[in-house]
Amino acid sequence: QNEVKGYRAIKAGSKVTGGRSAYRVSKPLAIDLFCGLGGWAEGFLAEGYDVIGFDIEARPYTGQLVLQDVLTLHGSQFRHAAAIVASPPCQEFSYMAMPWSRGKQIAAALREEVPFLDQYTGSRSIKALTALFDACFRIQREASEAAGRHTPMVVENVKGAQPWVGPARAHFGSF
């Protein structure tokens, strides 16, 4: 079964930790992808949402935490979600945006302009680099199709990600 305390939201076999003991369908549901310590969850909980967060590391989290790789999720699990938020890891994007020659060399290698340095252990293709962003948009599309309505999503990340995943539709904050 894909039931999770009132929601058909979690893949069978996922490890669920923490969170509240019972969920009611009367509260709106927010899905928090790459949830980390729960920055998004705090705001949603304060506004009366139930929040289910997904990450691959167990950390203190204020909502219900599911330890599962986002790449393995299917968006139809979230057809009851009122919103999806995502904060994919940004380290590679940030590093390549810095004015350091090594960062510039990595970006050039990803664009297939120069070879990768032997000691480089990060993404070796643009497809691998953007896989987590692509998963977010796939999950939203699948959730919307399953719900029969648009499921809103916010993907937050660093400015350095924009050359690789496209320009942001909206900007909030310092840039």
Side-chain angles (χ1 to χ4, degrees):
Q1 285 279 345
N2 287 338
E3 283 291 329
V4 170
K5 300 175 183 156
Y7 292 114
R8 296 183 61 76
I10 307 300
K11 182 177 177 181
S14 298
K15 184 177 178 186
V16 179
T17 63
R20 302 172 187 195
S21 61
Y23 280 91
R24 294 180 310 276
V25 178
S26 62
K27 286 187 172 186
L29 173 65
I31 301 299
D32 188 359
L33 306 176
F34 313 100
C35 63
L37 295 172
W40 282 110
E42 297 266 336
F44 277 106
L45 289 168
E47 291 300 316
Y49 283 70
D50 281 331
V51 183
I52 301 174
F54 292 83
D55 211 313
I56 57 172
E57 293 183 35
R59 301 177 196 178
Y61 186 72
T62 55
Q64 181 177 345
L65 175 63
V66 178
L67 297 177
Q68 186 174 348
D69 188 337
V70 169
L71 293 173
T72 67
L73 298 173
H74 194 279
S76 65
Q77 298 170 251
F78 310 127
R79 64 184 158 276
H80 299 296
I84 299 172
V85 293
S87 303
C90 63
Q91 292 86 341
E92 284 187 275
F93 299 114
S94 293
Y95 192 83
M96 289 186 293
M98 294 296 187
W100 304 324
S101 59
R102 186 169 188 266
K104 303 292 181 214
Q105 193 280 335
I106 292 168
L110 282 166
R111 289 190 298 269
E112 300 178 352
E113 298 167 359
V114 299
F116 285 100
L117 298 171
D118 289 337
Q119 66 271 28
Y120 177 67
T121 59
S123 299
R124 296 259 173 187
S125 70
I126 293 173
K127 183 177 180 178
L129 179 68
T130 62
L132 298 178
F133 275 89
D134 295 341
C136 295
F137 297 115
R138 174 188 52 79
I139 289 166
Q140 180 203 25
R141 184 181 64 252
E142 293 165 350
S144 296
E145 289 169 359
R149 61 172 170 76
H150 175 73
T151 302
M153 180 174 71
V154 174
V155 179
E156 68 85 23
N157 214 280
V158 297
K159 187 175 183 179
Q162 290 186 41
W164 306 98
V165 298
R169 291 186 183 157
H171 294 275
F172 298 94
S174 60
F175 62 88

